[in-house]
Every structure is written in structure tokens, then in C-alpha cells.
Amino acid sequence: MRYLFRPPGTDGASLLALPWHQPLEEWDPDLLLEVPQRGISRHVVRFVAEQGRVFALKEIAESLARHEYALLGEFEAEGLPAVSVLGICVDRPGGQDAILVTRYLEYSMSYRYLFSRPSARQSVDQLMDTLVVLLVRLHLAGVFWGDCSLSNTLFRLDAGALAAHLVDAETAERHPTLSRGQRHYDLDLARERVGAELLDLQFGDLLPEGVDPIEVADSLPVRYARLWEEVTREELFRADEQRYRVAERLRRLNDLGFDVGEVELVTSDEGARLRVETRVSSPGQHRRELMRLTGLEVQENQARRLLNDLRTFRAWMEQKTGAPVSEAVAGARWLAEVYQPVIDAIPPELAGRLAPAEVFHEVLEHRWFLSEREGRDVGTTQAARSYFSTVLPSTPPELTTPSVIARRP
């Protein structure tokens, strides 16, 4: 047998003692970890935990494994929203298929799990819009998915919204750019698959009443066309509008979660024509800013929410001291005095129900609710205590991320 692991190699080394010579279906259950929120796969997929980390193992033909291994590596290097690949095991005895190893996407959920939760707050519209954003991101990067579906997508909460990640790249192809025909063919495949998946949910009484699976699936091309137009269109405006119109367009793209590459502005007698190169780097401007100030690595909407709280804290510090406070000082003190105490106060039995940044976001939301009710600012500490006793316990235990389960005795 041969193993190929991407750096850091220490993650791969911790898995070498597993029984790679055996078919995945025959592995001892004691070696495996049950993941309640896993999705449906046409291949044999198992989960293992090593050193507090969780990995997904998928048994597929070697040619597909090598193809997916290479593509997922490219996606990760470029910041595309996809699972992180670790390695492959090939040349297994008896002509067995290869095993592709990916890192489990922490705090992620399958679409079936989202709809099966009694307290599900995500609407079908929200799910479709999130899937379309993922498809547009991939198409901008020259990726023809070929198998876009809800089953091949994982979803994570991001400050109350959803963020989508590609989880299966077996059929994906990489091109310098995609033609209109390639994009629309990929979209047609997505519409067919999503329609079938929603019909399956309806058959299992998991789809909300009044939702028409075919109508929702047919809305995908409309949603896609609207977003594609928004992120790729050229604009024509008067010369005296140039300054604010360019800034407005760039801000709009950032708000949609896209980065901006080259900006081309061509002036003529007609006016100024703006063309923007839209890029798809996963870490957006708010994520980068929060990382710079605090070292926290979170998702884009979470970063925007946390930055707002950090700026409010900085303004309070400046008012209290009567002197300017640098970004670096404000970031360090906010992390130590505001954010970390909330995270450290999460009861051990509730740890992992939600990502730490999502917990902090919800505490801020709960603080606003309590303050409105009481007619005064109740403060973060009181809001956190109330949230941990009244709200977080209602989050389904199954949402606990597998790495937390693996670390528990």
C-alpha cells in the first residue's frame, strides 16, 4: 500500500495505524466515530477521530481519488469554499478501491439534517440562495462542478445565516474560464438534482408545508442569473458620478462575500464604463480584519458581527480614558476582556453545540433582546449567563461537532 498526505504531515501520520488493508465496511466500529449530522453518500464513507481531530474516509476508484485529491488541494490553496483534503491511500490489497481522506468540516450540517431539526430556522429560500452563491463562486474560479446538489454540499451557520461548502469533487473539472454553455449545463444538472432531493424530503415529511419541490428547483436558474449579473456586470455612469459609484459597487460586492481583483475604468464620450474582476477568495475583508486584530479565524458574517462589537468596545475605551486607543490595543483587550470570558463560560456539557464565534454572536443578539425588554443595557456578562441557561440548551445535542465528542472521556 502507498499513502500520500498533504502537509502538515503530522495529521496524516496519526492515521497510519488504521487497518487500511481492510475494506472500510469491515472496520471495527470501535475505531469509528458516529456523526449524527452526516449526509447521504453513494460511496462507503466512515469517520475516525485522532488526537482530537475528525477525518472523513471515502472509498472510491483510484483514478477518481487522485483527481479529487488534486482538485481539493487546489481549491484549498486558493481559498475556495470546499472541504480540506488530507491524503489518499492507494494500491490496497486485493485490488481494493483507494481511500480519500478529508478533514471533517467543523460545525457543518447536511441539508437533510437541517430540515430534520425540530427547531430549524433556515428557510428553503435561504438554502437555495446559499447553494447558488457557492455555484457562482466556483464558476468564477473556472470550476465546472458536474454534480452540484444539496447532497454534495455542507452548510455551516454564519451569524444566523448559512455558508455552503463543496464536499464532493469527483466530477469537477478545472478550466481557465467557463463558457456560458458550460455554466448553464452545470446549472441544469443542479436544478434536476435539487428537485429530486426536495421531492425525497417531501416524501419523508421533512419539507415544510406549502413548499413545491419543482417550483423551488426551477427557481435556481433565476437566482443564479440574478447573482451572476450582480457580480459580473459592467456599469456605465457619468464622470461626475465616478467616485461614489465605484465605491458603491465595490462595497456591494464585498457585502455579497466576493473579493475584488482588478478594477478597469474606461472613459469615453458616453461616460465612464466600469469593469470589475470578481474573485472568490474565501477569507473576505472582515475575516482578514478580525484575524489581524485578534487572531480569531471565523466566517465572514461572524467576523462582521464581532468587529462591530470590537469597535463599540474601542469607542467606550476612548470615552473612558479621554484619549485615542490604537486598534492593536483595542483588539487585544476586547479579546481578553470581552470575547474570551464568554467562550470560557460555556458550560462543559454544552461545549460544541455551536461554533464559539456563533455562540458569541447569539449572546450579542440575546443581549439586545434582554436590553429591549428591560429598557437598559444589561451587559454582555448577564446576557451570556441568561443565554447559557435558557437558549443554548435548546440547541439539539446532535449539533455537537464530532471533534468535541471525540475529546470527551
Side-chain angles (χ1 to χ4, degrees), residues 191-337:
R191 180 176 57 81
E192 293 175 6
R193 286 162 171 74
V194 168
E197 289 166 329
L198 293 178
L199 283 169
D200 183 53
L201 286 179
Q202 187 181 61
F203 183 75
D205 291 327
L206 294 177
L207 203 62
E209 287 187 22
V211 174
D212 185 332
I214 304 304
E215 185 177 303
V216 171
D218 286 344
S219 75
L220 275 178
V222 178
R223 298 170 194 266
Y224 177 93
R226 189 165 55 230
L227 181 58
W228 185 265
E229 167 69 13
E230 178 70 29
V231 300
T232 62
R233 63 184 164 86
E234 293 187 358
E235 291 185 72
L236 182 67
F237 44 82
R238 298 193 312 269
D240 60 340
E241 299 177 314
Q242 177 175 317
R243 184 172 181 177
Y244 82 88
R245 288 285 295 274
V246 172
E248 183 182 70
R249 178 70 191 285
L250 301 187
R251 183 167 54 250
R252 171 64 177 158
L253 288 173
N254 287 152
D255 288 344
L256 288 170
F258 294 88
D259 281 347
V260 173
E262 185 178 71
V263 176
E264 181 182 10
L265 194 63
V266 180
T267 58
S268 67
D269 294 339
E270 295 178 279
R273 184 174 295 277
L274 173 68
R275 186 191 66 80
V276 178
E277 177 197 355
T278 309
R279 298 190 304 195
V280 207
S281 177
S282 176
Q285 61 175 13
H286 298 98
R287 292 184 66 181
R288 288 194 296 270
E289 181 73 358
L290 187 70
M291 171 66 82
R292 180 178 70 84
L293 294 174
T294 67
L296 293 175
E297 186 173 356
V298 303
Q299 297 185 83
E300 181 69 1
N301 289 334
Q302 292 167 347
R304 182 186 291 110
R305 190 72 171 91
L306 270 57
L307 280 171
N308 286 341
D309 193 64
L310 192 161
R311 287 164 184 147
T312 301
F313 178 75
R314 182 186 181 190
W316 172 82
M317 288 179 62
E318 291 181 335
Q319 183 182 39
K320 183 179 179 181
T321 62
V325 176
S326 70
E327 285 185 332
V329 169
R333 287 195 55 181
W334 175 85
L335 183 67
E337 299 174 22

Side-chain angles (χ1 to χ4, degrees), residues 1 15-24 27-28 31 92 99:
M1 293 185 296
L15 302 175
L16 291 177
L18 293 172
W20 300 97
H21 61 284
Q22 295 179 352
L24 270 181
W27 282 26
D28 187 338
L31 297 173
R92 298 170 69 216
I99 295 180

Side-chain angles (χ1 to χ4, degrees), residues 331-350:
R333 287 195 55 181
W334 175 85
L335 183 67
E337 299 174 22
V338 181
Y339 179 82
Q340 202 57 49
V342 170
I343 304 308
D344 291 342
I346 298 174
E349 68 275 12
L350 300 178

